[in-house]
Amino acid sequence: MSISIRTAKFGVCLGMTALMAACVTTQSTGGRTAIGAGAGAAAGAGLGAIIGDSSKAALIGAGIGALAGGIAGYNWSGIKQDVQQSGASNLGVDVTEMPDGSLRVNIPSHVSFDTGKYQLKSALLPVLDSVARALIQHPELRAVAVGYTDSTGSLQTNQVLSRERAQAVTTYLSHQGVGGNRLIAEGRADSQPIGNNATAEGRALNRRVELYLYAPQQ
């Protein structure tokens, strides 16, 4: 199945969110503790909040797994350290364990893409190589790439660019040996800004690809 088809199915699946209720998990010292998806979003968002109303469930796509079953708590320490040591910290790529149990690799555009382009810069490739290694070594994991732009330009242009940038990331991971059925790309244009689009600094923050690694609840 091609990435474009999976992306389309992802959009269709978002419409199913009202039909399902979800629970995600996170790890604590004594083991796994169930928390509501809405609670995870309130504490700093995560994959559950990206896919729509974070109080509802959504399917990520055929063969990927269902958030209706929840995201499993996962020990990310080794993977997080490997990604950081691959050059992420020096490039400004933030690697964060999210409250819903996923691991977010926040990739700013200045180290990943030229303005208006979606070809990956070579400086980012060691970071993506480390993500690919983690996915290959841990076949239970899945990845979702979500692209964003700033508010400059038309919505249509931004939607296409954000999707192509997310697809560039998942395509690279696939070329490193990660099964395409474990990857999905989604473009979100200038929605969900993390900076002020009225300033150059804020717009720079908003131009990004957020790559989420997660383990489906079994």
Side-chain angles (χ1 to χ4, degrees):
M1 182 182 294
S2 69
I3 292 177
S4 59
I5 294 175
R6 288 199 304 277
T7 303
K9 287 194 173 185
F10 180 76
V12 172
C13 290
L14 293 181
M16 301 174 64
T17 58
L19 302 179
M20 303 177 183
C23 173
V24 298
T25 63
T26 187
Q27 285 185 318
S28 64
T29 303
R32 294 180 177 178
T33 304
I35 61 172
L47 181 58
I50 293 299
I51 59 176
D53 182 351
S54 60
S55 66
K56 307 282 174 63
L59 297 178
I60 298 182
I64 299 280
L67 284 184
I71 298 175
Y74 202 81
N75 183 359
W76 295 109
S77 57
I79 294 174
K80 182 178 179 181
Q81 182 178 20
D82 187 41
V83 175
Q84 289 173 328
Q85 291 179 345
S86 70
S89 299
N90 293 334
L91 292 174
V93 176
D94 184 51
V95 186
T96 307
E97 296 184 42
M98 305 306 291
D100 65 359
S102 60
L103 182 72
R104 184 186 68 190
V105 181
N106 186 46
I107 305 170
S109 64
H110 73 276
V111 300
S112 51
F113 306 98
D114 288 326
T115 302
K117 306 295 184 181
Y118 59 89
Q119 290 79 18
L120 290 166
K121 290 185 177 181
S122 59
L124 180 66
L125 301 187
V127 176
L128 295 182
D129 287 341
S130 69
V131 173
R133 283 196 303 271
L135 290 168
I136 292 170
Q137 294 170 1
H138 303 272
E140 71 276 14
L141 297 180
R142 306 291 184 266
V144 178
V146 186
Y148 296 97
T149 66
D150 60 31
S151 61
T152 304
S154 70
L155 177 59
Q156 181 178 4
T157 297
N158 289 340
Q159 178 61 36
V160 171
L161 181 60
S162 64
R163 183 177 65 248
E164 288 176 334
R165 286 181 168 180
Q167 288 178 342
V169 170
T170 55
T171 296
Y172 184 84
L173 295 176
S174 178
H175 287 169
Q176 305 316 302
V178 182
N181 65 331
R182 300 169 60 197
L183 303 167
I184 194 164
E186 171 77 359
R188 289 299 179 92
D190 59 353
S191 66
Q192 301 178 2
I194 59 174
N196 185 351
N197 274 309
T199 68
E201 294 79 6
R203 290 191 296 272
L205 290 174
N206 294 334
R207 297 189 296 267
R208 69 199 190 277
V209 173
E210 294 183 353
L211 179 61
Y212 290 86
L213 277 62
Y214 77 100
Q217 181 76 16
Q218 300 298 319

